[in-house]
Amino acid sequence: MDSVPAVSFRGVRKSFGAVHALRGVSFNVAAGEAHALVGENGAGKSTLLKILSGSLRPDSGELCLDGRPIALARPRDALAHGIGIVHQEMLAFPDLTVTANIFAGRELTRGGLLREREMRDRTRSLLERLHIPVSPDDLAGSLSAAYRQLVQVARALAFECRILALDEPTTSLTDAEVDHLFRVLADLKSRGTTLIYVSHRLPEVFALCDRITVLRDGSHAGTFERAATRADAIVRAMVGRDLPPRVAAGSGPRPSDQPRLTVDRLTRRPCFEDVSLTIRPGEIVCLFGLVGSGRSELLETLFALHARDAGAVLIDGVECRFATPRDAARAGLALVPEDRQQQGLFFNLDLRHNLVLPRETARSSLVVRPRAERTAAQEMIRAWSIKTPGPDTFPDSLSGGNQQKVVAARWLAMQPRILLMDEPTKGVDVGAKFEIHEIIRRQAREGMACLIASSDLPEVLELAHRVVVMREGRIQGEIAGERADEESVMRLATAEPGAAA
Amino acid sequence: GGGSRDAATSGDSATKKLRFAVIPKSLDLPVFNYAKVGAERAAAELGNIEVIWRGSETADQLRQKEILESFITQRVDGIAISSLGGDFLNETINRAVDAGIPVVTWDSDAPNSKRIAYYGVDDRAAGRIMGEETVKMLDGKGQVALITSIGAVNLARRLEGVQEILAKHPGIKVVEVYDIKEDSIRCAEIIASGTNRYPDLKAWISVGGWPVFTRNALDAVDPARTKFIAFDTIPPAPELIKAGKVQLLIGQKYFGWGAESVRLLAGIKAGKMPSSPVVDSGVDVVTAANVDQYVEQWKKLERGEQP
Amino acid sequence: MTTSNLGTATELRNRPGPRNLRLSSAWRTRELSTLAILAVEILFFAWYLAPDGDRSHPFLNFPNALLILKYSSIYGIAAIGAAMVIISGGVDLSPGAVIALASVVLGGLFVESGWSLGSSVTMAILAGLAAGVVTSALVVLVGLPPFIATLGVMGIARGAAFIFTQARFFDVSGALPPGWQPFGIPLDWFAPGAMIGLAVLFQILMVRFQWGRAIYAVGGNETAARFSGVAVGAVKTSVYVLAALLSAIAGVVLAVVQGQGKADLAMGYELDIIASAVVGGASLSGGRGSVIGAVLGTLIFGVLRNALPQIPGATFYDRLIVGFVVIVIVVMDQLLVRRGAR
Amino acid sequence: MTTSNLGTATELRNRPGPRNLRLSSAWRTRELSTLAILAVEILFFAWYLAPDGDRSHPFLNFPNALLILKYSSIYGIAAIGAAMVIISGGVDLSPGAVIALASVVLGGLFVESGWSLGSSVTMAILAGLAAGVVTSALVVLVGLPPFIATLGVMGIARGAAFIFTQARFFDVSGALPPGWQPFGIPLDWFAPGAMIGLAVLFQILMVRFQWGRAIYAVGGNETAARFSGVAVGAVKTSVYVLAALLSAIAGVVLAVVQGQGKADLAMGYELDIIASAVVGGASLSGGRGSVIGAVLGTLIFGVLRNALPQIPGATFYDRLIVGFVVIVIVVMDQLLVRRGAR
Ligand SMILES: Nc1ncnc2c1ncn2[C@@H]1O[C@H](COP(=O)(O)OP(=O)(O)OP(=O)(O)O)[C@@H](O)[C@H]1O
Ligand SMILES: Nc1ncnc2c1ncn2[C@@H]1O[C@H](COP(=O)(O)OP(=O)(O)OP(=O)(O)O)[C@@H](O)[C@H]1O
Ligand SMILES: [Mg+2]
Ligand SMILES: [Mg+2]
């Protein structure tokens, strides 16, 4: 790159107590390019972007814009320099409208007076541009996870910025939404905006980015030209090894088996209606659908978190009406929730408690047994290779993906008979994703029935013995795993109701 | 409406019936309960009078003024009030009187207002009595600690009275004036820690009744070494004198507060003004010598007989 | 009060209700429900206290309405500030004490030291300012929880007032020329006027101006606000300082209209004031509520304080009734808002 | 929730302090710092109040220590409940009122209606239970914000006490046999004994029992707790009911030890009690704090209440001093905890 790089990191170091998040990272982002930033969970990607956004300051090293070193003391400075960031964790104002969320901190004003109408209009056009079917006056808190994430993106797009950095903006989006997003991003790029894109979804990376920088354990493991590299090379650079060849997907259920879980015309308006499906022991059923198609609500209802309007749930042929999630857990259900921050983690409790709490609750044990729990926690941390000093640390010091592992580990540790997972590998790196998939498969092989809601189509195709597609709260149809491909699944997911045979 | 029905129970006579509002300083001071009884009895005797007993739970001038004003807008036939905060109510009381609602004060006066009469003790004088009696008991020398609650004007006057006398006697040393903030638990705590702090304390003087409404507050005080002088004589205070824990109490005309106020108001409505605006109720100085008579007399009062 | 946002978020997921407590168009529904409750309350007492025969109505008359406004205004002016603090995600326990402090500073200087009314008022306001500066320093710089910071300031302000008065009180009414009218406004009209004026002013600032929006943002999600480039510290500072200033103004109004400066005035009003703000729709987890709502809340209590004494023999029932009503109102309100949602 | 927890996270990033205000091994450092402050306070007064000459030390002596414990125990017993409520993410304004209610119920039945002490105590406790049931119903079933629910219950309980006494008071001391000793414990030892016993009991329940951890979980992230199968409603109910019961016990202790049942007792103690819990490390945003810490907090204030009057002329200043000390202590505490973090 002979032209002056738009952004360049020079020997950036950052550590949190004992943890070295970044150990001297240096690389350039050329003006007007789309630059991908990939790496395992905890590699330091978000930390790097937080430094770029002025919300963290490096311990040493410097950050240059157009070759000139700058010091960003607070987020406002970054915004002033035309740096827009979409943070990995959602930073919504639940009590404010979508408009207010999008313009928060940078409202359009005339002498301090808000220009409401103008902001609402711009919001509407922005939402249309991204194909987000929500009203500018909706409360952010009332949106489903995916829409909230898209609103975060919209926030960054609301203002012309020279440099736009997105930290895993698509974790709860399906290809349809991703396509819309990418069209917008490509458009921005063509108009000279420099993009920095963090993701664990390599296909996306290859689709969007010109160059790919890999971080490993907080240091720069190389920058690759897209044209001149292939996915497995990137993976090798990330993980430091080749991923072992995938063991053949579990034989799947024996047709003779009785269904483990039977859902019969389950209804909860307005979220889903007349949902019927069966899962046999050892079967992995993936629930695919576009954003807001009702998958999360369905899983949460199965786990007795919401009341059902109608329908029945049978386990091993006997109808069950769980009053509380505890009852469900006792009966051998487990739900790995969609939003680890809201629905998963206790940030006031250390990892030990976070890892054992659901198990102990389900067992309704009386006393706390610190020693036993510590060993159990350490075991899970090891088994899931969660990047952390130990069970005494607190969740907010973990990287996004490691947080996700914590949430998944604590439920799988209970050896459930029926596993419900909502976006199980949201924000998880390729290595960890591989591990999680392996674990799911293994458990399945041992006779666990799995219902997995995912918006990650490749994941769905890879895992599923059977793909069930939902649309606007209704089951659109099923496709056997081996016959399922992107095209057929997407057609079901987007087809008009009734159109599906 | 329900309200009208309530009023209706007092029948068509309600039109003639006189409605007197009697307003204590607050509802949390037990002494005022006897004033309530007194007022209701007087009303019953005189007949054709409805007593509206109304105060704020705690001593809060603003609430009391608000209550007073609302009685003016209600156009009651007379108001008897134990006024918090000295001149605070003057302008309001004057407005009532100008509006043709006679106002008398009791227990705590508003001397600079147009109130027609005051019935109660002269607090400063009562304070002087406490002071003099203490001086006598200690024959003029020794450490003394005072207990008050800052804010209430009549307590301030009593304290002034006490201090005025004690100041005259160089032998007497006031080691501390404690503010117990109308909290009887706090009072007990102060007495205990104060006794602890000043081992050779000769006397406690409390210008309010907080310590004598329970036996336990004085546990820490050794009667042999320290005298206790307090205001108010409602039960169980006299018991404490009998038990030798308290040497002197100043009693007020608790029933009289209510009864006399109502009589005064009734008289005024009937057109006969009180002879003098200030009706000094006088105080009862209760000691071991006369405690038995006092208790007898009190029993009579409680039964509603004239002693 | 970050984590309390938890509360909020949960509500949002689980109940449809709060969804509609949104800013912009929707905040109106919010105040409407408070207004409706106030109306119901007034109608109830109008009916319940209806006089038999030709006696004039003891409750439903103009002087009485003015009376309610006059006495509510002390709470109301302070409640404006309390609402802003609560919306910003904090809580303020100091209003009662600051009111008293302002009243005694004014009284002391005006009555005893013979200062001009103008300069005494200025000093009283400055006393409030000082309290506000201390509070915001403790909250923003030292990072104390608002509850503790304001509890401390409450003690300091009240204590200062007592030390200042040495258990005396200042008869402002005596020192003011009889029939004196501030800015030519009759004294009885002054307090309500001040309250309504300030309420409208701050409502506009909160809803139509960037500064107000920033307060909602900070209260709703402080981290997000910081990441969005909101000057969180400055916003909080402004809020606590203004709240203290408003309390001081309430104290000045109290001293002038009620004619007295005394250290034990407005004792314990802080809870009533916070309650008014919440009854008016503010959420103690921050990010929700409105200034107008808070003022309406004080009126709801004002009507209660005024009407209850008119019910014969109710005096010992006051507290119970008020406590009961607080609950009933907030429940009713939730229902109304939900209805408004449909 | 995203918002709040991120909030926590950044707090953590900005200041290391709060990281340690948490359960797990860290809670120990937490109490240690409170203990340290208590020690510093005691040493200070021991030095400041050191008598000249050979007179015995007025502050540093056994009877005085017992005195402090005795009077702190009223706050302390209630503070145990307050701490649990705060840790669960709520707040309780009713303790003062429930204390008074219990004291008058006991007094009324025992003194006037001539019930046996045992049954009077039982009824007093039941009165507290009733208050707790109402509160938890309002918080859990109706979903009112705890501040409002408990404010309402505070009014109702205080009001009930006033109605019950009609402004009389009950001289329990007179009705008890002189020199009477509950369970053979000298009256002066009874209150402290009760406080310490209950504190230890509940500390163990909170830290070593699943139920206690559930309270921390609910306070930390209610949604996550629900997703983890925690019976959030049941946990909250148990907390509010127990808090009310503990207040009632405090009221019983008060009535027996102080020998009085009176409707205006413990007026306004709720703020002191909450302050004690916070000084003891509880965070009003929930999920953090400890029972022992709260009790230590009440002792810090107890020492202050005991020592200040011993400084001649200080009573007029004590409001100011207490307010000041609250702030100083919490600041000191933050520093200490941070030190502990390194
Ligand atoms: N506030 C913090 N305190 C302590 N450690 C932290 C903190 N934030 C991040 N870390 C640590 O720094 C390292 C890098 O974290 P970072 O969030 O940048 O990873 P990441 O590359 O974004 O991972 P992911 O893909 O999972 O988001 C991790 O080990 C994480 O545990
Ligand atoms: N908190 C909420 N409040 C209101 N409506 C919601 C909420 N969450 C989801 N919904 C709506 O309920 C329906 C189902 O949402 P759900 O989240 O279950 O869909 P999903 O398939 O899981 O999509 P997502 O990827 O958004 O999770 C959608 O219409 C969505 O808009
Ligand atoms: Mg990250
Ligand atoms: Mg979902």
Side-chain angles (χ1 to χ4, degrees):
Chain A
M1 286 271 141
D2 31 30
S3 68
V4 190
V7 185
S8 53
F9 297 92
R10 301 202 184 140
V12 174
R13 298 181 168 281
K14 179 72 186 177
S15 50
F16 303 92
V19 185
H20 298 290
L22 294 173
R23 10 186 141 218
V25 173
S26 312
F27 67 91
N28 297 336
V29 179
E33 79 167 331
H35 196 106
L37 193 56
V38 299
E40 286 184 287
N41 296 126
K45 306 181 292 298
S46 299
T47 306
L48 207 58
L49 293 199
K50 288 197 185 114
I51 288 169
L52 180 61
S53 74
S55 47
L56 279 182
R57 311 183 71 169
D59 298 341
S60 69
E62 63 182 6
L63 170 69
C64 302
L65 292 187
D66 308 324
R68 262 175 275 92
I70 54 160
L72 303 170
R74 63 187 77 76
R76 260 187 303 170
D77 305 352
L79 296 170
H81 282 86
I83 302 172
I85 305 266
V86 178
H87 286 282
Q88 176 175 19
E89 302 306 347
M90 299 187 187
L91 294 170
F93 300 96
D95 303 315
L96 294 184
T97 63
V98 170
T99 308
N101 264 275
I102 284 177
F103 287 90
R106 296 174 291 175
E107 291 85 356
L108 308 179
T109 58
R110 193 180 296 102
L113 190 63
L114 293 171
R115 280 143 64 187
E116 292 281 6
R117 193 179 301 97
E118 222 167 313
M119 287 193 280
R120 191 174 294 111
D121 295 345
R122 272 178 64 171
T123 305
R124 189 170 289 109
S125 59
L126 206 54
L127 294 174
E128 279 161 11
R129 212 168 129 207
L130 284 164
H131 296 78
I132 311 174
V134 303
S135 145
D137 295 334
D138 282 347
L139 277 190
S142 74
L143 302 181
S144 69
Y147 294 146
R148 246 182 293 139
Q149 186 165 38
L150 282 168
V151 169
Q152 295 304 308
V153 177
R155 274 181 65 175
L157 301 182
F159 293 87
E160 290 306 320
C161 46
R162 291 168 43 244
I163 299 155
L164 176 58
L166 307 98
D167 192 349
E168 307 189 30
T170 58
T171 43
S172 55
L173 303 187
T174 56
D175 297 11
E177 294 88 28
V178 174
D179 291 344
H180 298 310
L181 176 58
F182 277 23
R183 229 167 280 130
V184 175
L185 291 180
D187 174 44
L188 284 175
K189 180 159 171 285
S190 66
R191 289 200 264 111
T193 312
T194 309
L195 298 175
I196 301 177
Y197 186 83
V198 178
S199 176
H200 292 293
R201 296 183 179 178
L202 291 183
E204 291 180 0
V205 167
F206 276 85
L208 180 72
C209 301
D210 312 316
R211 294 197 303 158
I212 303 164
T213 289
V214 178
L215 289 185
R216 187 159 83 226
D217 293 338
S219 31
H220 179 239
T223 298
F224 304 78
E225 294 290 334
R226 173 187 47 191
T229 186
R230 282 182 30 256
D232 49 12
I234 301 291
V235 172
R236 200 180 304 110
M238 271 164 64
V239 192
R241 59 186 161 88
D242 285 309
L243 291 182
R246 179 166 316 296
V247 291
S251 56
R254 288 185 307 287
S256 57
D257 289 338
Q258 287 308 314
R260 167 65 52 80
L261 176 71
T262 310
V263 180
D264 180 23
R265 297 204 306 288
L266 196 65
T267 299
R268 181 170 189 274
R269 298 185 190 80
C271 296
F272 59 86
E273 225 165 323
D274 275 337
V275 171
S276 302
L277 51 81
T278 64
I279 310 171
R280 276 169 295 165
E283 187 175 28
I284 303 174
V285 174
C286 284
L287 202 54
F288 184 79
L290 299 190
V291 166
S293 54
R295 297 160 299 168
S296 299
E297 303 285 328
L298 173 60
L299 297 188
E300 288 168 15
T301 309
L302 288 173
F303 200 59
L305 279 155
H306 309 303
R308 59 180 91 155
D309 294 343
V313 176
L314 290 75
I315 294 180
D316 293 331
V318 281
E319 162 146 30
C320 325
R321 289 197 157 274
F322 303 124
T324 65
R326 176 123 144 271
D327 302 345
R330 283 236 190 75
L333 266 74
L335 169 64
V336 178
E338 172 176 27
D339 182 335
R340 55 177 173 259
Q341 292 248 334
Q342 280 195 25
Q343 305 163 335
L345 297 162
F346 302 99
F347 288 82
N348 62 320
L349 301 179
D350 65 21
L351 287 184
R352 178 192 120 209
H353 296 292
N354 270 285
L355 284 166
V356 302
L357 195 120
R359 187 188 69 185
E360 296 298 312
T361 310
R363 290 180 179 168
S364 59
S365 51
L366 190 61
V367 296
V368 171
R369 291 186 264 62
R371 202 167 288 95
E373 292 182 358
R374 267 190 76 83
T375 42
Q378 268 153 342
E379 172 50 28
M380 289 186 233
I381 290 172
R382 200 190 47 68
W384 289 73
S385 52
I386 294 168
K387 198 154 177 284
T388 172
D392 296 334
T393 50
F394 291 87
D396 48 34
S397 70
L398 263 58
S399 75
N402 282 300
Q403 291 180 356
Q404 183 68 26
K405 289 191 201 172
V406 170
V407 179
R410 68 177 176 198
W411 282 110
L412 278 159
M414 292 167 65
Q415 260 110 28
R417 293 161 62 227
I418 301 172
L419 176 63
L420 310 174
M421 286 185 134
D422 199 349
E423 314 288 359
T425 56
K426 186 176 183 176
V428 168
D429 66 50
V430 282
K433 190 173 195 169
F434 182 84
E435 291 163 20
I436 293 181
H437 288 175
E438 283 310 303
I439 294 170
I440 295 174
R441 282 209 186 76
R442 200 184 320 122
Q443 303 256 14
R445 249 179 271 115
E446 290 160 12
M448 180 173 68
C450 307
L451 180 58
I452 296 170
S454 173
S455 307
D456 183 349
L457 195 45
E459 170 172 86
V460 169
L461 298 175
E462 188 178 302
L463 270 179
H465 296 120
R466 196 147 48 90
V467 182
V468 174
V469 180
M470 283 182 76
R471 182 171 183 286
E472 287 168 2
R474 290 177 174 282
I475 300 266
Q476 283 289 315
E478 291 187 5
I479 309 176
E482 57 278 7
R483 284 192 285 101
D485 56 26
E486 307 233 350
E487 201 261 336
S488 58
V489 172
M490 277 316 278
R491 186 159 359 86
L492 264 184
T494 50
E496 283 310 311
Chain B
S4 27
R5 217 174 294 106
D6 290 3
T9 53
S10 52
D12 306 324
S13 65
T15 45
K16 292 187 244 68
K17 196 158 193 174
L18 293 175
R19 294 161 67 240
F20 292 159
V22 186
I23 307 173
K25 280 210 214 74
S26 70
L27 297 179
D28 55 19
L29 296 179
V31 290
F32 291 129
N33 190 44
Y34 301 97
K36 176 164 176 278
V37 174
E40 279 155 357
R41 282 195 192 134
E45 283 166 23
L46 297 165
N48 195 22
I49 293 176
E50 180 190 358
V51 168
I52 310 170
W53 178 264
R54 160 70 53 176
S56 63
E57 300 80 2
T58 52
D60 179 336
Q61 293 183 4
L62 213 52
R63 292 278 294 112
Q64 190 183 40
K65 188 172 184 179
E66 189 174 8
I67 289 167
L68 179 59
E69 289 209 43
S70 80
F71 278 125
I72 299 174
T73 53
Q74 286 179 60
R75 317 213 90 280
V76 291
D77 302 297
I79 298 173
I81 185 168
S82 165
S83 80
L84 281 160
D87 293 329
F88 187 56
L89 297 175
N90 289 352
E91 163 263 349
T92 318
I93 292 175
N94 296 351
R95 201 139 46 74
V97 175
D98 297 342
I101 304 173
V103 179
V104 301
T105 54
W106 53 275
D107 167 44
S108 174
D109 194 9
N112 308 332
S113 70
K114 291 190 189 169
R115 56 107 177 100
I116 296 168
Y118 165 70
Y119 175 89
V121 302
D122 174 342
D123 284 299
R124 182 180 284 274
R128 290 204 199 89
I129 297 174
M130 295 178 100
E132 280 148 2
E133 294 297 327
T134 313
V135 172
K136 274 203 220 102
M137 272 184 243
L138 307 187
D139 36 40
K141 53 184 179 308
Q143 297 184 341
V144 179
L146 309 182
I147 298 173
T148 185
S149 188
I150 295 171
V153 172
N154 59 339
L155 294 180
R157 296 233 180 82
R158 290 175 200 166
L159 194 66
E160 288 161 16
V162 175
Q163 283 167 318
E164 175 189 331
I165 300 298
L166 297 187
K168 292 208 192 87
H169 299 268
I172 303 270
K173 176 163 179 301
V174 176
V175 292
E176 187 63 273
V177 181
Y178 290 110
D179 168 22
I180 60 107
K181 307 181 175 65
E182 291 288 353
D183 180 340
S184 52
I185 304 169
R186 178 96 180 114
C187 179
E189 184 174 12
I190 288 280
I191 292 169
S193 62
T195 305
N196 195 326
R197 170 83 168 88
Y198 302 103
D200 29 22
L201 193 64
K202 283 284 169 293
W204 284 96
I205 303 177
S206 170
V207 298
W210 314 283
V212 291
F213 299 157
T214 166
R215 288 166 175 71
N216 301 17
L218 303 186
D219 281 347
V221 184
D222 169 10
R225 292 162 59 242
T226 313
K227 308 266 175 268
F228 206 102
I229 293 87
F231 222 81
D232 287 332
T233 52
I234 67 176
E239 305 301 319
L240 293 168
I241 290 191
K242 288 184 182 165
K245 282 185 165 182
V246 173
Q247 284 61 42
L248 180 131
L249 293 170
I250 302 289
Q252 314 185 63
K253 308 298 185 190
Y254 308 103
F255 293 90
W257 283 339
E260 288 311 313
S261 310
V262 169
R263 293 207 185 85
L264 282 166
L265 284 176
I268 293 162
K269 292 305 270 188
K272 58 177 190 324
M273 286 289 153
S275 46
S276 96
V278 173
V279 186
D280 189 341
S281 67
V283 296
D284 302 310
V285 180
V286 184
T287 61
N290 65 349
V291 64
D292 295 321
Q293 299 98 293
Y294 185 82
V295 171
E296 280 315 303
Q297 181 192 340
W298 179 269
K299 293 218 180 77
K300 285 211 187 67
L301 282 169
E302 273 194 316
R303 286 195 300 272
E305 306 160 12
Q306 289 309 322
Chain C
M1 306 177 91
T2 354
T3 316
S4 353
N5 291 337
L6 285 182
T8 322
T10 334
E11 282 165 30
L12 284 168
R13 267 197 94 65
N14 305 343
R15 302 197 224 95
R19 258 195 186 180
N20 302 61
L21 308 176
R22 74 181 55 150
L23 194 61
S24 88
S25 61
W27 64 262
R28 292 193 199 84
T29 31
R30 200 61 200 65
E31 274 97 359
L32 279 184
S33 80
T34 318
L35 202 56
I37 289 165
L38 180 58
V40 171
E41 186 188 17
I42 292 173
L43 287 176
F44 170 78
F45 283 117
W47 162 76
Y48 189 83
L49 296 170
D52 45 328
D54 52 4
R55 284 227 255 91
S56 69
H57 198 300
F59 172 77
L60 212 59
N61 60 57
F62 182 72
N64 199 44
L66 194 56
L67 197 63
I68 295 172
L69 279 170
K70 178 172 148 192
Y71 279 92
S72 304
S73 54
I74 307 301
Y75 299 82
I77 294 173
I80 295 171
M84 296 193 303
V85 172
I86 292 172
I87 292 168
S88 80
V91 61
D92 187 358
L93 295 172
S94 63
V98 173
I99 289 174
L101 179 61
S103 82
V104 298
V105 168
L106 189 160
L109 297 177
F110 182 54
V111 178
E112 295 230 319
S113 319
W115 289 38
S116 76
L117 183 59
S119 39
S120 321
V121 169
T122 319
M123 288 308 293
I125 303 286
L126 286 180
L129 179 67
V133 170
V134 174
T135 311
S136 47
L138 290 170
V139 173
V140 176
L141 301 183
V142 186
L144 292 188
F147 185 94
I148 285 299
T150 55
L151 186 70
V153 171
M154 158 183 164
I156 293 174
R158 181 75 66 181
F162 270 98
I163 295 167
F164 191 80
T165 53
Q166 294 295 337
R168 292 159 307 152
F169 61 86
F170 306 109
D171 175 18
V172 178
S173 59
L176 286 168
W180 170 79
Q181 301 194 341
F183 316 113
I185 305 162
L187 218 44
D188 282 358
W189 291 87
F190 181 61
M195 172 176 74
I196 295 167
L198 288 165
V200 171
L201 169 65
F202 278 96
Q203 177 70 31
I204 293 171
L205 284 172
M206 288 294 283
V207 179
R208 291 263 162 272
F209 280 78
Q210 184 169 24
W211 173 72
R213 174 65 53 85
I215 295 175
Y216 279 93
V218 170
N221 181 347
E222 189 170 332
T223 315
R226 191 173 292 109
F227 279 27
S228 316
V230 175
V232 174
V235 169
K236 283 186 168 180
T237 309
S238 67
V239 166
Y240 284 98
V241 168
L242 276 170
L245 283 178
L246 283 159
S247 299
I249 293 174
V252 168
V253 171
L254 173 63
V256 171
V257 174
Q258 300 297 343
Q260 193 176 46
K262 197 151 175 297
D264 63 346
L265 289 173
M267 188 87 79
Y269 284 18
E270 44 277 351
L271 289 186
D272 305 341
I273 289 167
I274 296 174
S276 308
V278 175
V279 163
S283 146
L284 284 158
S285 33
R288 271 190 262 154
S290 86
V291 164
I292 289 285
V295 171
L296 290 174
T298 57
L299 288 180
I300 289 176
F301 286 107
V303 170
L304 215 52
R305 277 201 314 280
N306 173 280
L308 284 181
Q310 310 202 15
I311 302 169
T315 186
F316 288 109
Y317 294 79
D318 274 6
R319 278 190 182 239
L320 188 125
I321 296 173
V322 171
F324 190 73
V325 168
V326 173
I327 291 168
V328 172
I329 286 176
V330 179
V331 174
M332 271 175 66
D333 185 71
Q334 283 196 351
L335 299 178
L336 275 173
V337 171
R338 244 170 263 184
R339 182 67 37 76
R342 308 254 167 291
Chain D
M1 309 304 70
T2 329
T3 65
S4 46
N5 292 331
L6 274 182
T8 327
T10 27
E11 256 175 53
L12 291 169
R13 295 193 175 98
N14 306 346
R15 338 187 207 95
R19 178 85 65 84
N20 299 53
L21 305 179
R22 293 166 170 177
L23 189 66
S24 92
S25 61
W27 67 262
R28 284 185 210 89
T29 28
R30 202 58 201 65
E31 272 99 357
L32 280 184
S33 80
T34 318
L35 204 56
I37 288 164
L38 181 58
V40 171
E41 186 187 18
I42 291 171
L43 289 176
F44 169 79
F45 282 116
W47 162 77
Y48 189 87
L49 295 170
D52 41 344
D54 52 1
R55 279 164 75 257
S56 69
H57 200 299
F59 173 77
L60 212 58
N61 61 57
F62 182 71
N64 198 46
L66 193 57
L67 202 63
I68 295 171
L69 281 169
K70 176 174 161 189
Y71 283 93
S72 304
S73 54
I74 308 303
Y75 299 84
I77 295 172
I80 295 171
M84 295 194 302
V85 171
I86 293 173
I87 292 168
S88 80
V91 62
D92 187 359
L93 294 172
S94 62
V98 174
I99 289 174
L101 179 60
S103 82
V104 297
V105 168
L106 188 157
L109 297 178
F110 182 55
V111 177
E112 295 228 319
S113 320
W115 289 37
S116 77
L117 184 60
S119 38
S120 318
V121 170
T122 319
M123 288 308 291
I125 303 285
L126 286 180
L129 179 67
V133 170
V134 174
T135 311
S136 47
L138 291 170
V139 173
V140 176
L141 301 183
V142 186
L144 291 189
F147 186 95
I148 283 300
T150 56
L151 185 71
V153 172
M154 160 183 166
I156 292 173
R158 183 72 71 179
F162 268 104
I163 295 167
F164 194 78
T165 56
Q166 299 282 324
R168 288 159 311 151
F169 66 96
F170 305 108
D171 172 26
V172 178
S173 63
L176 286 168
W180 169 81
Q181 301 193 341
F183 316 112
I185 305 162
L187 218 46
D188 283 356
W189 291 86
F190 180 61
M195 173 175 74
I196 294 167
L198 288 166
V200 171
L201 169 66
F202 278 96
Q203 177 70 35
I204 293 171
L205 284 172
M206 288 296 283
V207 180
R208 286 268 165 274
F209 280 74
Q210 192 65 25
W211 172 74
R213 176 160 57 189
I215 294 174
Y216 280 93
V218 169
N221 182 346
E222 193 171 326
T223 311
R226 192 174 296 107
F227 272 77
S228 310
V230 175
V232 174
V235 169
K236 283 185 168 180
T237 309
S238 67
V239 166
Y240 284 99
V241 168
L242 277 170
L245 282 178
L246 283 160
S247 299
I249 292 174
V252 169
V253 171
L254 174 64
V256 172
V257 175
Q258 299 299 332
Q260 200 178 34
K262 200 156 170 294
D264 66 324
L265 289 178
M267 187 87 76
Y269 283 20
E270 45 278 350
L271 290 186
D272 306 343
I273 288 168
I274 297 174
S276 306
V278 174
V279 165
S283 144
L284 285 159
S285 32
R288 296 182 205 151
S290 87
V291 164
I292 290 285
V295 173
L296 290 174
T298 57
L299 288 180
I300 289 177
F301 286 105
V303 169
L304 215 53
R305 272 199 318 278
N306 173 281
L308 284 182
Q310 306 205 19
I311 303 167
T315 46
F316 290 82
Y317 295 81
D318 59 10
R319 273 198 189 81
L320 186 134
I321 296 172
V322 170
F324 189 74
V325 168
V326 173
I327 291 170
V328 173
I329 287 177
V330 179
V331 175
M332 267 175 68
D333 185 69
Q334 284 198 348
L335 299 177
L336 275 173
V337 172
R338 247 172 263 182
R339 185 66 37 76
R342 306 254 171 290

